[in-house]
Amino acid sequence: MSFFGFGQSVDVDILLNDADSRRRAEHKTEDGKKDKYFLFYDGETVSGKVSLALKNPNKRLEHQGIKVEFIGQIELYYDRGNHHEFVSLVKDLARPGEVTQSQAFDFEFTHVEKPYESYTGQNVKLRYFLRATISRRLNDIVKEMDIVVHTLSTYPELNSSIKMEVGIEDCLHIEFEYNKSKYHLKDVIVGKIYFLLVRIKIKHMEIDIIKRETTGTGPNVYHENDTIAKYEIMDGAPVRGESIPIRLFLAGYELTPTMRDINKKFSVRYYLNLVLIDDEERRYFKQQEVVLWRKGDIVRKSMSHQAAIASQRFEGTTPLGEARTPGPLSDGSSRQ
C-alpha cells in the first residue's frame, strides 16, 4: 500500500547463510509457550542476507538508509521502557536512496561475543536478535529475528560433595549427603539421608528443586521462587539408623545454568530443598544451593551410564558419619 506517495511497502526477511545446517533449540517465550530458534554459541559468526521484496514491482521505495544490527539485551518486566543492551553491533547495508526492485543485502558479524545465555523468566528476559531497519522520513520498516544462545562450561573432576548434619534438639537428628555440588543439566543427583535420632512422627519426605530468580538492586530487589520438581524420598515413618538413598535425574526438568549477577541486572540460582512433614502437617526443611552448568553435546552417554558413574563416585566419598557442617533444621512453621 502506498503511503502518501513516498513509496511502496516492502516485505523484509532475514535469512541466515547456514539455516539449513544450523541446529535449533527450544526456548520458552513470555507467554509460557515453547518455540524453536536457531542456536548459537559465544564467538560464533552470524552471517546471512536481508531480503527486500517489493509488493508492487512498479513502485519504488524511498529510504534514508538500510542497516542490520545484532543486539543482546536485558529487559526487566517492571521497567519495560528501558532495554539494557550489552551487545550492539551495526552494519550499514545501503545509503539513502531508492529501492526499485526486489534485492538482498549480505551481512556478516564476525566472531560475535555472546557472554550470557538466553533466558526468559518471571521478571526478566535476556534475548539476542537480528534487526533489519529501512529508515524512512515518517515510519521506519523494521524486521526482527530472535536467536538462542547457550553458554557451555567445563568443570574440573574435583567436585566436592555436600555433607550436612542437621536437626532439632532432642527431636530429630539427620545427616544427608549429595555426591556433588555442581551438576550439568543432564546429570544425576545421587545422595543418601541417615537418621540418627527420630522422636517426631515423620510421615513424608521429599526433595524439591527450587529456582530462585533475583532481579533489581538495592531497595528494588525482587525474588521469585519457582518449584521446578518434587521428588518423593520416603512415604512412612523412618526409624533410627535407617538410611534412605536418593537418585534424581535432572534431564526431565526444565532447567537453565546457574546465572550469577548477569550484567548487574539479575541472577538465577538453584537449591535442593529437603522437606520433612510430620503427622500434624508441620513442615521442616533445609535448603542447599547447587550449581548447574551446561555441558557440550560432543560426548553423549546414556542416562543409565551416567547414573552408574555417579553411584561409583558417591560410594567412594567420605562416610556420612564424618559430616562436618552442623546447623539447625529450619522449621517451616507453615502448615501447607
Side-chain angles (χ1 to χ4, degrees):
M1 184 176 71
S2 182
F3 191 79
F4 295 115
F6 283 106
Q8 179 66 25
S9 61
V10 62
D11 286 331
V12 182
D13 205 4
I14 302 173
L15 308 170
L16 296 179
N17 286 341
D18 56 357
D20 292 337
S21 58
R22 181 164 292 278
R23 272 185 61 194
R24 291 173 179 256
E26 278 194 346
H27 189 73
K28 189 171 70 172
T29 58
E30 273 188 61
D31 58 8
K33 297 178 181 177
K34 287 185 178 180
D35 286 328
K36 285 197 169 184
Y37 301 90
F38 289 109
L39 176 63
F40 283 84
Y41 298 100
D42 183 28
E44 283 193 299
T45 294
V46 182
S47 63
K49 293 179 174 62
V50 174
S51 171
L52 308 184
L54 291 176
K55 288 189 174 181
N56 187 341
N58 298 320
K59 294 289 183 74
R60 65 188 183 183
L61 175 71
E62 295 181 4
H63 63 85
Q64 305 303 308
I66 302 172
K67 65 181 179 180
V68 63
E69 300 165 273
F70 181 87
I71 295 172
Q73 73 178 23
I74 296 171
E75 179 184 347
L76 299 168
Y77 295 161
Y78 61 82
D79 187 23
R80 284 186 180 271
N82 293 321
H83 294 161
H84 307 278
E85 294 185 357
F86 55 88
V87 176
S88 181
L89 305 173
V90 184
K91 297 280 186 186
D92 289 319
L93 302 178
R95 294 178 179 179
E98 296 178 349
V99 175
T100 57
Q101 61 183 5
S102 298
Q103 62 186 114
F105 300 90
D106 293 324
F107 68 86
E108 180 176 84
F109 296 102
T110 307
H111 305 309
V112 182
E113 181 184 4
K114 312 175 199 71
Y116 311 123
E117 173 135 347
S118 299
Y119 177 74
T120 302
Q122 300 287 332
N123 294 313
V124 63
K125 177 170 66 177
L126 188 153
R127 64 187 283 242
Y128 294 86
F129 59 99
L130 289 161
R131 180 166 63 203
T133 304
I134 302 174
S135 299
R136 303 178 73 195
R137 284 193 180 95
L138 295 179
N139 59 328
D140 291 348
I141 299 172
V142 178
K143 174 72 173 183
E144 293 184 353
M145 185 182 79
D146 280 80
I147 65 168
V148 162
V149 170
H150 283 176
T151 56
L152 303 180
S153 304
T154 55
Y155 276 82
E157 286 298 315
L158 293 175
N159 191 349
S160 59
S161 60
I162 297 171
K163 309 172 188 177
M164 297 197 77
E165 183 177 322
V166 297
I168 303 168
E169 189 174 359
D170 296 328
C171 293
L172 179 69
H173 188 185
I174 62 175
E175 295 173 338
F176 67 86
E177 181 173 4
Y178 305 119
N179 61 322
K180 292 185 285 189
S181 55
K182 302 180 179 74
Y183 296 91
H184 62 77
L185 299 183
K186 306 294 184 186
D187 217 335
V188 186
I189 296 175
V190 179
K192 62 177 72 170
I193 298 171
Y194 188 67
F195 289 86
L196 298 173
L197 177 66
V198 185
R199 287 182 178 166
I200 56 178
K201 293 182 179 179
I202 301 294
K203 71 171 187 178
H204 180 79
M205 186 182 345
E206 67 186 28
I207 283 185
D208 303 337
I209 301 176
I210 295 176
K211 180 176 81 171
R212 180 171 298 158
E213 177 187 289
T214 304
T215 53
T217 55
N220 298 317
V221 173
Y222 297 88
H223 298 288
E224 194 78 39
N225 287 346
D226 187 14
T227 301
I228 303 296
K230 288 180 179 287
Y231 176 74
E232 183 178 308
I233 301 172
M234 181 194 70
D235 189 11
V239 296
R240 180 180 176 182
E242 188 171 2
S243 179
I244 308 292
I246 300 168
R247 183 163 297 177
L248 177 57
F249 292 81
L250 298 180
Y253 301 110
E254 195 173 302
L255 302 168
T256 70
T258 294
M259 304 180 187
R260 297 182 186 275
D261 200 22
I262 299 300
N263 205 43
K264 299 187 187 245
K265 294 293 183 292
F266 74 97
S267 298
V268 179
R269 290 181 164 89
Y270 288 89
Y271 297 84
L272 294 178
N273 191 32
L274 178 64
V275 182
L276 290 80
I277 304 173
D278 67 14
D279 58 356
E280 295 181 5
E281 298 300 325
R282 288 178 299 201
R283 299 169 66 89
Y284 308 90
F285 59 90
K286 186 69 178 180
Q287 282 190 1
Q288 177 64 46
E289 183 176 3
V290 291
V291 174
L292 301 185
W293 55 284
R294 186 183 297 282
K295 187 169 72 169
D297 293 333
I298 298 172
V299 179
R300 295 173 181 262
K301 297 179 180 179
S302 67
M303 290 305 297
S304 58
H305 186 55
Q306 289 181 3
I309 292 175
S311 298
Q312 289 168 9
R313 287 180 180 170
F314 182 56
E315 287 165 4
T317 57
T318 308
L320 281 169
E322 299 179 23
R324 288 288 188 272
T325 50
L329 185 69
S330 303
D331 185 346
S333 70
S334 61
R335 305 195 177 199
Q336 301 178 3

